[in-house]
Amino acid sequence: MHVSKALIGTLSVAATILASTASVRADGEVNIYSYRQPDLIQPLLDAFTKKTGITTNVLFLDKGLVERIQAEGANSPADVILTVDISRLTEAKDAGVTQPVVNETINKDIPAHFRDPDGSWFGLTTRGRVVYASKERVTEDDITYEELADPKWKGKICTRDGQHSYNIGLFASMLAHHGEAETEKWLTGLKNNLAKKPDGGDRDQAKAILAGECDLALGNTYYVGLMMTNEKEPEQKEWAAAIKVLFPNAKDRGTHVNISGMALAKNAPNKENALKLMEFLSEGEAQKIYAEQVFEYPVLPGAEPSDVVKSFGAIKPDTLPLAEIAANRKKASELVDKVGYNDGPQD
């Protein structure tokens, strides 16, 4: 999501303050290192403090979080890591800054395909990587990812950078389902159907559809909610109104989803409180609050998404384990370069 320079500056000051104080252990505290903006998670943390009396301290970093924990070493004050995207979670695990958790409550609440087999990370909310389609020009109400390579869509598709983690996640899932040869062929077909060179963010793709630059685009579900409810930039409501959400592969394996998630820091000084927070985040009250705040879907089976999210339509998530998708991310990135995806259409 876009973060203003002013907000980053403010939060950097807050981060400095936390860094100077968080090393002091307190039994009534838990220290959270977060890739997710504090204003999005604050209602969640307020509910946790109200329930448990445990104070939460948040250090927000939009990049370099793992490196920060590595540099702090055994004296790191980090207790819980909150991230967006499976790549951030696997990065933290691979860097050795997490520790495995075996917890009956968490494992009961979070389905196996949304957590690390070793217990090193857990999903909290999901977002679908869906197709934004022009309400005006697209008659189809269902589609598959495979169909995006069909020549009938030549010159009609927009996407952001192929190397962006959201697209890499999707391409990695295609690798997991179809293998390298088929995925390379598909990715080449998708590239050939692009209306222009990949650029911008997911919301820019909806804007391009409204402008008639393309008819289809790849985007995350939560951006639709952000556009629909944006009072500061009301033109985004027009972008949202121009599109309908198509959930690819709804009639077979399901739509590719990514996650926001959590992990227990390797040297958590307040481990007991950290585990209490992680349990709380997996349960119904927190699942509802978090999903509503970020326009995402709860991972807890049976938990209801917000009315805004329901308005997108029902989602049937692909149940392919995210750990398997993550294992294909490097190859997906290599394929993006191999087919010259970011060069855009060549004729």
Side-chain angles (χ1 to χ4, degrees):
M1 297 180 192
H2 174 73
V3 184
S4 71
K5 291 183 179 178
L7 178 58
I8 291 175
T10 302
L11 294 172
S12 295
V13 173
T16 302
I17 294 172
L18 173 59
S20 66
T21 61
S23 59
V24 180
R25 173 172 176 157
D27 289 337
E29 296 185 348
V30 60
N31 300 319
I32 301 154
Y33 278 34
S34 176
Y35 275 117
R36 185 140 246 177
Q37 296 173 37
D39 58 319
L40 293 178
I41 60 174
Q42 196 57 52
L44 198 62
L45 302 181
D46 289 345
F48 172 71
T49 299
K50 182 178 180 180
K51 181 176 181 178
T52 65
I54 297 170
T55 300
T56 61
N57 303 310
V58 180
L59 170 59
F60 167 73
L61 292 170
D62 63 340
K63 59 183 177 181
L65 187 151
V66 166
E67 291 79 5
R68 171 67 174 264
I69 298 174
Q70 287 178 314
E72 291 169 342
N75 294 320
S76 174
D79 291 312
V80 175
I81 301 168
L82 294 182
T83 78
V84 289
D85 191 74
I86 180 64
S87 65
R88 300 284 200 184
L89 291 165
T90 56
E91 175 192 21
K93 178 186 176 181
D94 293 345
V97 300
T98 66
Q99 59 176 299
V101 172
V102 179
N103 182 284
E104 184 177 341
T105 297
I106 298 173
N107 287 348
K108 173 177 63 69
D109 291 338
I110 299 176
H113 55 283
F114 289 141
R115 49 185 160 89
D116 177 57
D118 300 327
S120 293
W121 52 259
F122 303 86
L124 291 174
T125 60
T126 69
R127 76 289 295 264
R129 193 70 180 153
V130 296
V131 171
Y132 301 165
S134 169
K135 287 180 180 176
E136 182 180 326
R137 298 181 300 277
V138 176
T139 58
E140 287 86 347
D141 288 321
D142 62 81
I143 200 167
T144 66
Y145 294 116
E146 290 78 6
E147 288 173 40
L148 296 177
D150 190 318
K152 76 175 184 178
W153 297 113
K154 187 173 179 61
K156 296 183 181 298
I157 300 177
C158 292
T159 76
R160 71 194 304 163
D161 191 310
Q163 290 289 3
H164 191 277
S165 61
Y166 298 157
N167 283 335
I168 291 296
L170 170 60
F171 302 159
S173 77
M174 295 295 285
L175 276 164
H177 283 295
H178 296 297
E180 185 174 346
E182 279 299 308
T183 301
E184 180 179 342
K185 181 180 177 182
W186 171 80
L187 194 58
T188 300
L190 174 59
K191 174 204 169 184
N192 291 339
N193 285 343
L194 294 175
K196 58 179 182 176
K197 289 181 67 172
D199 67 348
D202 284 3
R203 280 180 274 201
D204 292 305
Q205 314 314 317
K207 181 181 179 181
I209 289 175
L210 174 62
E213 296 174 17
C214 46
D215 292 348
L216 301 178
L218 288 172
N220 283 349
T221 44
Y222 69 83
Y223 283 113
V224 183
L226 290 170
M227 290 186 287
M228 288 172 62
T229 58
N230 196 320
E231 299 299 336
K232 293 183 179 179
E233 298 179 60
E235 65 271 19
Q236 291 195 17
K237 294 183 179 182
E238 298 178 22
W239 308 348
I243 66 172
K244 56 185 176 181
V245 176
L246 303 184
F247 293 91
N249 299 83
K251 295 181 178 178
D252 47 68
R253 68 175 180 271
T255 299
H256 167 65
V257 297
N258 209 322
I259 57 173
S260 71
M262 62 180 176
L264 179 64
K266 180 179 180 180
N267 298 298
N270 302 293
K271 184 174 180 179
E272 183 178 344
N273 290 343
L275 290 172
K276 287 179 181 178
L277 175 60
M278 293 177 73
E279 286 186 352
F280 174 78
L281 293 176
S282 77
E283 294 173 337
E285 178 187 0
Q287 284 281 295
K288 184 176 187 297
I289 295 171
Y290 198 6
E292 286 184 352
Q293 280 291 114
V294 295
F295 300 108
E296 294 178 347
Y297 298 88
V299 297
L300 178 67
E304 291 286 323
S306 69
D307 289 340
V308 171
V309 173
K310 285 180 182 178
S311 74
F312 307 159
I315 187 171
K316 173 188 173 185
D318 186 349
T319 58
L320 187 72
L322 288 180
E324 187 174 343
I325 294 174
N328 283 283
R329 293 181 68 91
K330 183 175 184 292
K331 177 58 67 176
S333 177
E334 292 170 355
L335 283 183
V336 168
D337 287 341
K338 183 177 181 181
V339 305
Y341 185 86
N342 284 338
D343 296 332
Q346 298 303 296
D347 55 6

